[in-house]
Structure formats: structure tokens, C-alpha cells
Amino acid sequence: DVKVTQSSRYLVKRTGEKVFLECVQDMDHENMFWYRQDPGLGLRLIYFSYDVKMKEKGDIPEGYSVSREKKERFSLILESASTNQTSMYLCASSLPPDRGGDGYTFGSGTRLTVV
Amino acid sequence: GIQVEQSPPDLILQEGANSTLRCNFSDSVNNLQWFHQNPWGQLINLFYIPSGTKQNGRLSATTVATERYSLLYISSSQTTDSGVYFCAVEQRWGGGADGLTFGKGTHLIIQP
């Protein structure tokens, strides 16, 4: 089974801190994604990457950046954390259907609180 | 962008009952998945089903791509089935990705 591992389950950070959320997948998937989930707003795509060093903005990229230096690792960076970035963050990976992909696999999530 | 609508938004059932959750989408897709979000927030993939029918134990799913809807069936519900069920779709063909677009979910409560 594909495993997507997020480094922290719970995280508390102070306003203005630089925050790194790490995600690692172990099945050589090309595509990796970061979502956030908020009550009433659902799941929203922040950034994704379809190859090493490649990144694409999702629906809500403001206040975030990403890094993909190795195929298996995709990092989400909050340059200067703010309270409105308190959320559940979910990482996912996938293979395209034409490469035998059978959908997205999600990590267990990181609950980030910014105080 | 593509719209994904799930119904019903909430569903309360007794243990042992059967249920059907529906997902309508506004355009053709090359990926459709059903997820169950557990109490700890993890999204568990139930089915990858852009078309056709699949079964896994008490759960089954059918997607009629030409009519742009998918159904998730849960039979003989158990309390552990409680949680939020999401339908999510993607439109991209070929390589790369666009990201999944999620519906708002169905909140299912199974009472003992």
C-alpha cells in the first residue's frame, strides 16, 4: 500500500513564525498535493507538484510556498504564520491514470494552531 | 470549474440499516473517488471509480459517467461507519494533475 506520511499530527506555532509541514510518500508517485480543510469551507487545494522542482498554485496559494527537491518529499511552508492559517492540512500523492494510477492517497493530516 | 454536489448532507440511521449516498458532478471526469474521513481527520480511500461498479465488503459504488453521477451504498451499517463521506473528482487526462475537487460531504451517524 502507498503510504503518505506527514511529519506532525498536531502543531502549535506563534504568529509570525516560519512553519514547515513535511510530507513523504513511498511509492514513487509523480504528483503531490497540499490541501487545507476548514469547517464550512471544505477541502481546498493550496499547491501541487507534478515533478521534482515543479510547482503549481492551487485555489488558495496566498501566504504559502512549497518545495519539492526530491520526488518523495513535498514541503509546505508558511512564511509568516497568521491566525487565519489555523487549519487541518492534508497531503496527498497520486500517479496519473495513464501511468496506472488509481487515485489519490492522503496522509493522516496535521492540525496546525497559530496563536 | 467543475461542481460537485453530494446528498444528503446529513443522515442518521440505526445500526443494521442500509444507505445510499449520491454525488452529482457537472462535467466529464477521469477520476472519481469516495473517501471516508475518520474521527481523527484522515481521508480513507474507499473507491477509485471513474466509471462502472465496484464492491468491497458491505460497501459498493456505481458511477454512471454519461449521466454524471455516482452512488455509494452502505449495507448493514455499523457504528464504525459513522463519519463524513466525501466524493471527489478530477478532470485532467494524460500526465500531470489538476487536483481533486471535493463535494461538501455527507455526515453519516449510525446509532446503536
Side-chain angles (χ1 to χ4, degrees):
Chain A
D1 274 356
V2 177
K3 207 164 188 184
V4 178
T5 304
Q6 293 183 231
S7 54
S8 304
R9 199 66 189 268
Y10 299 94
L11 214 49
V12 180
K13 295 292 182 182
R14 295 199 177 276
T15 301
E17 273 193 78
K18 190 169 186 175
V19 181
F20 293 85
L21 301 183
E22 306 288 346
C23 177
V24 177
Q25 50 95 3
D26 66 359
M27 274 297 286
D28 204 32
H29 279 184
E30 296 173 358
N31 304 324
M32 296 189 74
F33 308 84
W34 277 106
Y35 286 82
R36 65 178 281 178
Q37 184 178 22
D38 302 286
L41 296 175
L43 284 111
R44 295 178 291 169
L45 181 63
I46 305 171
Y47 264 100
F48 64 100
S49 167
Y50 54 85
D51 203 350
V52 175
K53 297 193 185 296
M54 304 302 291
K55 61 184 179 183
E56 293 283 346
K57 292 180 180 179
D59 300 318
I60 51 162
E62 296 78 19
Y64 303 94
S65 63
V66 290
S67 172
R68 193 162 181 204
E69 296 296 319
K70 294 185 178 181
K71 192 173 187 179
E72 66 271 19
R73 184 180 295 270
F74 192 37
S75 303
L76 180 69
I77 304 159
L78 287 64
E79 296 290 344
S80 177
S82 64
T83 54
N84 63 14
Q85 292 178 310
T86 291
S87 186
M88 173 69 146
Y89 289 87
L90 291 155
C91 175
S93 73
S94 77
L95 260 183
D98 63 341
R99 293 271 316 279
D102 60 355
Y104 288 44
T105 299
F106 280 81
S108 54
T110 296
R111 290 195 183 273
L112 173 67
T113 302
V114 182
V115 297
Chain B
I2 192 167
Q3 305 298 311
V4 182
E5 293 183 1
Q6 291 186 244
S7 60
D10 301 282
L11 188 58
I12 301 174
L13 298 171
Q14 294 297 121
E15 205 167 17
N18 301 328
S19 57
T20 301
L21 282 56
R22 187 176 179 102
C23 172
N24 293 331
F25 44 97
S26 61
D27 204 345
S28 54
V29 299
N30 75 331
N31 179 10
L32 187 146
Q33 289 180 257
W34 284 97
F35 295 93
H36 177 214
Q37 189 164 40
N38 66 23
W40 298 272
Q42 185 169 8
L43 286 169
I44 308 298
N45 181 32
L46 298 176
F47 293 103
Y48 167 73
I49 188 164
S51 64
T53 297
K54 290 185 178 179
Q55 180 155 9
N56 184 4
R58 296 182 295 104
L59 273 60
S60 64
T62 295
T63 297
V64 183
T66 52
E67 297 187 23
R68 299 182 185 164
Y69 73 89
S70 183
L71 301 173
L72 176 69
Y73 305 97
I74 305 174
S75 64
S76 304
S77 301
Q78 300 175 358
T79 55
T80 51
D81 294 330
S82 297
V84 183
Y85 289 80
F86 289 101
C87 171
V89 302
E90 184 180 33
Q91 287 188 281
R92 191 178 184 104
W93 278 263
D98 279 337
L100 289 172
T101 298
F102 283 79
K104 293 187 184 300
T106 292
H107 187 196
L108 176 64
I109 296 174
I110 304 297
Q111 296 177 332

